[in-house]
């Protein structure tokens, strides 16, 4: 089931972009560094978990 594996990889890539964007906001103004969990952070983590699950399910069906 390459469809699930490839779609999981795309979802993980989008999640990584969100996480990098979230981290970049801290480097753009280092004097205001204060870590809080925001909606972008939660969305990125959710997409990473969802993409990992898609890849695992695709790997199970590929057997």
């Amino acid at each position: 089931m390459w469809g699930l594996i490839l779609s999981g990889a795309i979802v993980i890539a989008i999640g990584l972009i969100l996480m990098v964007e979230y981290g970049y906001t801290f480097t753009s103004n280092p004097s205001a560094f204060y870590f809080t969990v925001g909606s972008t952070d939660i969305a990125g983590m959710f997409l990473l978990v969802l993409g990992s699950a898609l890849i695992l399910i695709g790997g199970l069906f590929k057997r």
Side-chain angles (χ1 to χ4, degrees), residues 23-58:
Y24 181 73
T25 59
F26 292 130
T27 60
S28 62
N29 190 6
S31 62
F33 180 78
Y34 181 69
F35 181 76
T36 58
V37 179
S39 59
T40 307
D41 190 31
I42 293 172
M45 284 189 271
F46 174 74
L47 288 175
L48 291 175
V49 170
L50 180 66
S52 298
L54 284 173
I55 289 175
L56 288 173
I57 292 169

